[in-house]
Amino acid sequence: QVQLVESGGGLVQAGGSLRLSCAHSGRTFSTTAMGWFRQAPGKERQFVAAIYWNGASTRYADSVKGRFTISRDNTKNTVYLQMNSLTAEDTAVYYCAATTYSPGYYRDEYDYWGQGTQVTVSS
């Protein structure tokens, strides 16, 4: 059973940066595509970014392109989300997710989920 544990969330001022981490407990991390989603209060969980198993390709939501960067370290079983130029609209609970298939844009395409980490951006 795969467990995903996010960390790195917190309170930051608008314009600031945070780096989220997601630790993957299983032995299949190096062959698993990973994604980040977020859910703001009263809204649906939405796609943020995704990365292929070898890091060769990434995908981003339009709202975060140029500001967020997803990366991974297969030696540490960890995926990261570097978030820069944060705005109040980025306030949400951020979830990482894992899939054995190509990293898609939809929740149903992911098999495992973390518990989430809160990111709050003050304006």
Side-chain angles (χ1 to χ4, degrees), residues 33-116:
M34 300 293 295
W36 285 97
F37 287 71
R38 67 186 182 186
Q39 188 166 14
K43 295 189 177 181
E44 295 288 321
R45 193 172 300 187
Q46 62 177 198
F47 172 79
V48 175
I51 188 166
Y52 278 76
W53 63 273
N54 59 0
S57 182
T58 56
R59 297 177 176 177
Y60 295 94
D62 288 343
S63 58
V64 306
K65 279 181 183 176
R67 300 188 299 124
F68 290 13
T69 302
I70 188 170
S71 62
R72 65 189 294 156
D73 185 340
N74 285 355
T75 66
K76 297 182 178 180
N77 279 21
T78 301
V79 63
Y80 304 97
L81 184 68
Q82 177 66 44
M83 307 185 294
N84 299 328
S85 302
L86 287 162
T87 73
E89 286 68 39
D90 296 315
T91 295
V93 177
Y94 283 71
Y95 299 89
C96 72
T99 177
T100 53
Y101 301 99
S102 295
Y105 297 96
Y106 303 102
R107 293 178 58 179
D108 291 348
E109 298 177 88
Y110 291 81
D111 306 302
Y112 301 99
W113 292 84
Q115 293 300 307

